[in-house]
Amino acid sequence: NNKLAEYDTLLNSDDEQSVLETAQLKIEADELYAQLQELRYSLEILKIDYDKELLEADKNVSQAKHDLEVYELENVSDDTEKLEALKKQLNEMTVYAPCDGYINSINVLKAQHFSGGAIAEIAVESKNKIIVSVPDEYILKIAEGDNVSYSTSFSDSEFTGVVEDVSAIKNGQGYDVTISSDKADDFLSGMQVSVSFTTENVTDMAVPSTSVLKDEKDEYYILVVKANGNIVEKCNIECGISGNNYTQLLSGTPTIQTGDMVILEPSLYYSGMTVEPVIQEEAEK
């Protein structure tokens, strides 16, 4: 301001020296003005940089808040899932009996690692069941509702029952078949019984399985001696059900009649052979 005032004073003077000084002051004023403009420009640049830094800082703060919120949400979700998993694991550690009864035996110990299978055996007080393991070759012949008979080593009586359930899952020995019987409560849990399954009832004639042979035509036959006769005859037959000891005869040619005798060891005889039939009672004498 002082420079400008001095410049105005010299400008109004007629002295040559004053004119020179006035020119010099004008130059200095111009330089000051240029410096002032430069300072203003620098100030504007600094303000712009400051605004940029402030904007970037706000952006970083917003991003940090967002990241914090996401982190908290993810951790809450993980904690919830872990809590639900622990609850499920706790429920799986609780053993529920499938029926009422009392524990007959326990197959695991405290703190023992459990690898699967039955952990305990439960005896049902209300009604005992008979469970028998049936091999593969017989299981398909047994169905729910089939009649069975069973006996024990400590009783001469034979009891009857009904197939209640046929397991579709094989254990180590076969398939478990559950049998119900009104007499099952007369026995104790764990007792052993001998069971016979009735898979099919037949009323036709049957002969010992050892008496049945096959000829060169791959046809079944038996050797018989007609009633009151003594000649061995070959009789072609049609076989039905074959068990361990007997074979069902559906038909025979010639027709087999009551009183005809079947040769039990046919390999020792031939058709047309003359024999002398011996009644069992006479042979014993």
Side-chain angles (χ1 to χ4, degrees), residues 12-275:
N12 296 321
S13 175
D14 294 332
D15 186 20
E16 182 179 352
Q17 181 66 32
S18 298
V19 172
L20 291 176
E21 291 178 357
T22 299
Q24 182 66 33
L25 290 174
K26 183 177 181 301
I27 293 172
E28 291 179 359
D30 291 339
E31 290 178 353
L32 289 175
Y33 180 77
Q35 293 177 2
L36 178 61
Q37 290 296 105
E38 186 176 354
L39 289 174
R40 287 178 178 175
Y41 177 76
S42 299
L43 182 61
E44 291 294 330
I45 295 297
L46 290 174
K47 185 176 182 302
I48 292 173
D49 292 341
Y50 172 77
D51 291 340
K52 288 182 179 180
E53 292 293 335
L54 183 61
L55 182 63
E56 186 68 23
D58 291 340
K59 181 180 178 180
N60 292 335
V61 170
S62 298
Q63 183 63 40
K65 289 181 178 180
H66 174 73
D67 293 343
L68 179 60
E69 291 175 355
V70 171
Y71 175 78
E72 290 176 348
L73 289 175
E74 289 178 349
N75 279 273
V76 169
S77 177
D78 291 342
D79 291 342
T80 303
E81 292 178 359
K82 290 179 181 178
L83 181 60
E84 292 299 324
L86 290 173
K87 288 181 179 179
K88 182 179 179 181
Q89 185 178 0
L90 181 61
N91 290 333
E92 291 176 350
M93 294 173 63
T94 303
V95 179
Y96 298 94
C99 58
D100 295 333
Y102 61 91
I103 297 178
N104 194 29
S105 63
I106 299 178
N107 303 325
V108 293
L109 300 175
K110 184 177 180 180
Q112 179 182 351
H113 177 71
F114 179 64
S115 58
I119 65 172
E121 178 181 334
I122 300 176
V124 181
E125 292 182 336
S126 58
K127 189 173 182 180
N128 286 330
K129 308 268 185 195
I130 299 172
I131 299 178
V132 58
S133 183
V134 178
D136 298 6
E137 59 267 28
Y138 300 115
I139 191 62
L140 294 179
K141 299 179 181 179
I142 299 173
E144 294 182 11
D146 286 351
N147 295 320
V148 301
S149 59
Y150 63 93
S151 59
T152 64
S153 59
F154 50 83
S155 175
D156 296 331
S157 302
E158 187 172 82
F159 308 95
T160 59
V162 177
V163 175
E164 185 178 277
D165 179 71
V166 179
S167 175
I169 301 175
K170 185 177 182 181
N171 57 30
Q173 301 174 348
Y175 296 85
D176 285 343
V177 176
T178 304
I179 301 166
S180 62
S181 173
D182 294 337
K183 297 294 183 180
D185 287 340
D186 295 338
F187 307 110
L188 298 178
S189 177
M191 287 185 174
Q192 294 186 347
V193 296
S194 177
V195 180
S196 297
F197 292 90
T198 304
T199 57
E200 189 172 353
N201 292 319
V202 293
T203 57
D204 297 320
M205 185 182 300
V207 296
S209 298
T210 56
S211 65
V212 180
L213 297 176
K214 267 188 179 182
D215 59 17
E216 63 278 2
K217 296 181 181 180
D218 206 28
E219 296 178 348
Y220 290 101
Y221 73 93
I222 59 174
L223 296 178
V224 299
V225 177
K226 289 296 183 178
N228 301 322
N230 61 352
I231 303 298
V232 176
E233 296 183 24
K234 178 182 178 182
C235 180
N236 292 323
I237 61 172
E238 181 183 355
C239 298
I241 298 173
S242 180
N244 293 331
N245 299 317
Y246 288 90
T247 298
Q248 177 191 11
L249 300 186
L250 300 179
S251 64
T253 305
T255 303
I256 303 172
Q257 299 177 347
T258 302
D260 292 349
M261 291 174 285
V262 179
I263 296 178
L264 300 180
E265 298 180 6
S267 60
L268 302 178
Y269 300 86
Y270 56 88
S271 180
M273 183 178 181
T274 301
V275 294

